Amino acid sequence: MTDVVVVGGGIAGLVTARDLAKGGADVVLVESSGVLGGMIRRHTVGGLDLDMAADSFATRTDAVGRLAIELGLGNDVVAPDPRGAWLMTRDGRTSPIPATGLLGIPSTPMAADVLAVVGQKGGLRAQMDSLLPGPVGAKAESLGELVRRRMGERVLDDLVVPIAGGVHSTHPDQLDPERVAPGLRAALLREGSLARAVLALRARAAAGTPVQGIRGGIVRLVDELVADMETYRVDVRLHTRATRIEAHAVEVVSADGTVERLPAQHTLSSVPDPERTAAPDRTGIELVTLVVDQPELDAAPRGTGMLVHPDAQAVSAKALTHATVKWPWLAEAAAGRHVLRLSYATPADATSAPGASGPDDAATSLPVDPDGPVGTRALHDAATLLGVPLTATQVAGAARVRWHGPDLTAAGLAEGVVGIGEASSGRGLAGITAAARTAAGQILDS
């Protein structure tokens, strides 16, 4: 019997396994695919090594920053360019994202940058928030309902849907306020208005930018964690799929069909229970990365990028990141070229990479033909969002990656199995890291 079996080799599994093994536990880590890191991986596009998915982490806690320091990356934690991002509303209007909000919820509804998006009528309706009793909306089950009741449909549709929905890849009507904005309900009751609650939460937040990155890419966290698997003697088993997860044992099957039962004092899982009968409730996501040579983009016409209302008709992308504006280190590496990352919603069953044997297989980066349908769509959307002409001849490299959004169906883990990762903690590197380290600490303490 080993001390701990960890199921899943994404960031949550790696962090948990490292902390446990560093603390003296014997750890077995099983991963169904042939690579570690989950979606925190790199791919090469146009000769540039880039993050395959997430390129930043939230700083509302110090969880990721502290981990980076422990892994020797503290001096490489960097802030993004301060110019900020823009948004596109349902009707195709574009404006800078208001400066003093939280997930699109404005702290000053009648501020000029808010009115530029929601209009005078929308701002006046949002200002009524200050006249409503504090308990109104405080028990709302979703972020969308909370904003709708306090500030009205216009603020919800023009600001919160593209911003909160873009960040979490989910409509605000399906987002739990306690998960995506911890403390917002309590602040609403304490302050008496949603706007003042946002101000209070922003005042309590750590100084600095809401997100940070790592010079060379977030994937460097995985590089160091994988190295620590060897340093701390974690028994890593790739191409090993869990078929049954119990409180004190995990049944697995390897690539050659060998079935094995791994007894353990503790089991942790970053994936749903393999025997869960409820179907997953999730969306698909496709990220198309373009490396282009277009000097007109040097002016950063839309700052660090754009968030797009899901019902906007002008483009099909739901977000664009102008990565070489957002990250000065990447601009230096790109040597005058520009890296554009466009994300799209896709059907959940369309996210597996061609050739993958199942939904748990790691996503794969695939090259894109700039003259093909995917490349043509991405170039059109990027040109429309940035207001700069782009042609296939300007593309130095292009690739796409598909993966699943967060699964809204409960992980369904057996009693005694500790849930970690997106299946239990929701989306977001900061939250996943903090929850994983807490779980590891509790086991070591016991």
Side-chain angles (χ1 to χ4, degrees), residues 93-108:
R93 291 176 291 113
T94 59
S95 301
I97 292 177
T100 58
L102 175 69
L103 293 175
I105 306 170
S107 63
T108 310

Side-chain angles (χ1 to χ4, degrees), residues 320-399:
L320 177 148
T321 300
H322 195 160
T324 36
V325 172
K326 185 176 181 180
W327 304 116
W329 66 262
L330 181 56
E332 182 179 350
R337 295 175 296 169
H338 292 267
V339 177
L340 310 176
R341 292 156 46 100
L342 298 101
S343 57
Y344 296 86
T346 65
D349 59 1
T351 58
S352 293
S357 60
D360 293 330
D361 285 356
T364 302
S365 174
L366 299 171
V368 167
D369 179 1
D371 287 314
V374 174
T376 299
R377 178 190 63 177
L379 282 168
H380 167 268
D381 288 353
T384 302
L385 291 170
L386 296 171
V388 172
L390 293 169
T391 65
T393 59
Q394 296 170 313
V395 177

Side-chain angles (χ1 to χ4, degrees), residues 74-358:
N75 290 334
D76 290 325
V77 174
V78 293
D81 185 277
R83 277 172 277 193
W86 288 45
L87 61 82
M88 175 178 281
T89 61
R90 180 193 295 268
D91 56 6
R93 291 176 291 113
T94 59
S95 301
I97 292 177
T100 58
L102 175 69
L103 293 175
I105 306 170
S107 63
T108 310
M110 295 299 289
D113 56 0
V114 176
L115 295 180
V117 181
V118 304
Q120 191 79 14
K121 185 176 179 180
L124 289 171
R125 169 60 185 89
Q127 188 67 28
M128 289 178 61
D129 162 65
S130 63
L131 305 177
L132 297 174
V136 173
K139 295 183 179 180
E141 295 183 358
S142 71
L143 183 69
E145 182 186 355
L146 172 58
V147 174
R148 187 181 289 111
R149 296 192 64 185
R150 298 295 313 190
M151 292 189 172
E153 289 284 354
R154 193 65 184 267
V155 164
L156 173 63
D157 197 55
D158 284 354
L159 286 171
V160 182
V161 167
I163 296 175
V167 170
H168 294 281
S169 302
T170 307
H171 193 280
D173 282 341
Q174 295 180 297
L175 293 175
D176 180 355
E178 292 300 328
R179 175 169 284 187
V180 299
L184 184 61
R185 291 184 200 270
L188 168 59
L189 292 172
R190 184 176 64 251
E191 303 293 334
S193 87
L194 186 57
R196 289 195 293 271
V198 169
L199 274 175
L201 291 182
R202 288 179 60 90
R204 288 167 47 193
T209 59
V211 299
Q212 290 180 323
I214 294 177
R215 187 178 291 106
I218 294 294
V219 69
R220 293 184 63 199
L221 290 172
V222 169
D223 293 340
E224 298 301 327
L225 287 167
V226 170
D228 278 356
M229 295 300 100
E230 182 174 351
T231 299
Y232 298 116
R233 301 177 183 273
V234 175
D235 180 2
V236 177
R237 305 188 186 187
L238 300 177
H239 300 292
T240 303
R241 180 169 55 89
T243 56
R244 185 178 179 85
I245 307 173
E246 302 171 351
H248 299 293
V250 177
E251 290 184 2
V252 298
V253 58
S254 59
D256 62 4
T258 301
V259 177
E260 185 179 2
R261 182 176 175 84
L262 305 174
Q265 294 288 342
H266 304 275
T267 60
L268 302 96
S269 178
S270 63
V271 301
D273 190 276
E275 299 179 307
R276 184 184 71 175
T277 57
D281 178 10
R282 59 193 179 191
T283 58
I285 301 169
E286 179 177 77
L287 178 71
V288 178
T289 300
L290 303 174
V291 178
V292 300
D293 186 1
Q294 168 52 291
E296 291 185 40
L297 292 176
D298 295 348
R302 296 294 184 265
T304 58
M306 293 195 71
L307 293 171
V308 182
H309 193 288
D311 295 331
Q313 298 298 308
V315 297
S316 54
K318 68 185 186 69
L320 177 148
T321 300
H322 195 160
T324 36
V325 172
K326 185 176 181 180
W327 304 116
W329 66 262
L330 181 56
E332 182 179 350
R337 295 175 296 169
H338 292 267
V339 177
L340 310 176
R341 292 156 46 100
L342 298 101
S343 57
Y344 296 86
T346 65
D349 59 1
T351 58
S352 293
S357 60

